[in-house]
Amino acid sequence: MLSKDSVRTRMESESGISFTEFTYQLLQGYDFVHLCREHGVRVQIGGSDQWGNIIAGTDLARRLLGREGEGEVEEGSQEASSSGTQTCYGLTFPLLVDSEGRKFGKSVDGAIWLSAEKLSPYKFYQHLFNVTDADVVKFLKMLTFMPLPEIEALAASMSKPDYVPNTAQRRLAEEVTRFVHGEAGLQQALKTTEALKPGSATQLDVATLEAVAGDAPSASLGRDAVAGATIADVMVAAKMQPSKGAARKLIKGGGVYMNNQKVTEEMAKVEDKDLVDGRMLLLAAGKKNKMLIRVE
């Protein structure tokens, strides 16, 4: 490990390298040896940033399992011997990064999971929909099965005056969400996206509100503090506004929505029929500042 430029450079740098980082290669290397010996796993695949860790595994396999690998090693495929007559291989591929060099699939809110149990189809769709113009064509080529001529035509349309903003992003989000979550998952994502637009005529339901729960701040309030209370009172109780006066001023200016419907009366109250499934309420101060109220 000490002979590798990446490790030596870090150790000689001013910031150094942590013990965890230094020993990570050992952990991954022993893991590959164990999988090879016990389960016959002979190929490890990863992004190009995993090259050193994969090499550590194939090298350790050669040393511990006692057979010398044959052939020359080229970046992209590392060969070493295994416990049988077959050899172990390491394969790397270029990382998928955005125009600023950040790994795609990482966000300020955490990893972008493929499993619907880890990340709802709606949030998955939104992450793809928010891709920048600088990245969307590249991702359409790498993440979808759209014909290249169709992608090129879409790319050309982006520079035309009549181009509708986010058309390419919408296509990317639809194609990849359908591939990962199926048609049902895509329709759920589209329904939630449409339902959460201010002024949307789509009726909110519990499934839709739960899908957006991780994206919007939430507050739990007692039923007495919500049902029958003015919307201004609820906004103050949920800390959406600093005072009732500020809340009423926002309502008067047309900036408050309850369940996506604009509130027009300063003294409007929350009624039982406004509670989705009798236990949830969506308030918005402006188009983006949403608050999910859970009624206890």
Side-chain angles (χ1 to χ4, degrees):
M1 288 174 62
L2 293 174
S3 66
K4 293 181 179 178
D5 289 339
S6 59
V7 175
R8 188 171 62 255
T9 301
R10 285 291 303 278
M11 292 187 69
E12 294 174 353
S13 68
E14 188 174 325
S15 59
I17 184 171
S18 70
F19 179 76
T20 301
E21 290 179 283
F22 181 75
T23 56
Y24 189 85
Q25 285 191 7
L26 295 177
L27 177 63
Q28 188 165 329
Y30 273 109
D31 183 60
F32 196 6
V33 171
H34 173 77
L35 291 172
C36 175
R37 179 190 290 129
E38 302 297 331
H39 303 285
V41 175
R42 304 187 187 282
V43 179
Q44 186 171 171
I45 302 174
S48 56
D49 62 338
Q50 292 296 305
W51 175 249
N53 295 335
I54 293 175
I55 292 296
T58 55
D59 183 58
L60 193 60
R62 175 175 57 81
R63 294 170 183 271
L64 295 183
L65 302 179
R67 292 176 181 270
E68 293 296 329
E70 297 179 357
E72 295 183 357
V73 177
E74 296 181 0
E75 182 153 342
S77 64
Q78 168 70 16
E79 184 177 332
S81 58
S82 70
S83 55
T85 57
Q86 301 183 57
T87 53
C88 290
Y89 295 89
L91 174 66
T92 62
F93 46 83
L95 290 174
L96 181 59
V97 297
D98 63 20
S99 56
E100 296 183 7
R102 297 171 301 195
K103 293 181 185 179
F104 183 74
K106 302 281 182 137
S107 75
V108 293
D109 299 317
I112 306 304
W113 296 92
L114 298 180
S115 169
E117 296 179 356
K118 295 282 190 178
L119 191 75
S120 70
Y122 163 73
K123 294 174 189 173
F124 184 84
Y125 177 94
Q126 287 298 315
H127 180 75
L128 292 159
F129 185 80
N130 289 323
V131 164
T132 65
D133 286 348
D135 294 315
V136 66
V137 174
K138 171 184 176 181
F139 292 161
L140 279 168
K141 291 178 179 179
M142 299 184 74
L143 300 177
T144 78
F145 294 98
M146 289 175 59
L148 288 177
E150 187 177 349
I151 295 175
E152 295 296 348
L154 184 57
S157 72
M158 293 174 68
S159 60
K160 295 180 179 179
D162 59 348
Y163 174 73
V164 178
N166 296 322
T167 297
Q169 283 86 343
R170 183 175 294 105
R171 185 65 185 278
L172 172 69
E174 289 177 355
E175 292 290 331
V176 181
T177 303
R178 181 186 291 111
F179 178 72
V180 173
H181 294 292
E183 187 63 33
L186 173 60
Q187 292 307 315
Q188 177 190 334
L190 293 174
K191 177 184 176 183
T192 304
T193 299
E194 178 61 30
L196 293 176
K197 290 181 181 178
S200 172
T202 304
Q203 186 174 359
L204 293 176
D205 54 28
V206 172
T208 299
L209 291 180
E210 289 291 0
V212 78
D215 288 347
S218 63
S220 296
L221 299 175
R223 183 168 294 275
D224 293 342
V226 180
T230 66
I231 294 175
D233 286 336
V234 176
M235 294 181 75
V236 173
K239 302 188 185 316
M240 291 185 72
Q241 291 295 306
S243 66
K244 297 178 185 179
R248 286 195 287 267
K249 182 178 179 180
L250 192 60
I251 292 173
K252 186 177 181 180
V256 175
Y257 293 80
M258 179 172 66
N259 293 338
N260 288 337
Q261 302 305 308
K262 183 180 290 188
V263 179
T264 57
E265 298 293 331
E266 294 181 43
M267 299 305 294
K269 295 184 177 182
V270 178
E271 301 179 12
D272 286 331
K273 64 181 179 61
D274 297 319
L275 300 178
V276 179
D277 198 36
R279 57 189 174 92
M280 301 179 87
L281 183 74
L282 184 67
L283 292 178
K287 292 183 177 181
K288 295 185 178 180
N289 182 20
K290 298 179 184 291
M291 175 73 76
L292 183 63
I293 309 296
R294 298 180 185 274
V295 181
E296 298 178 337

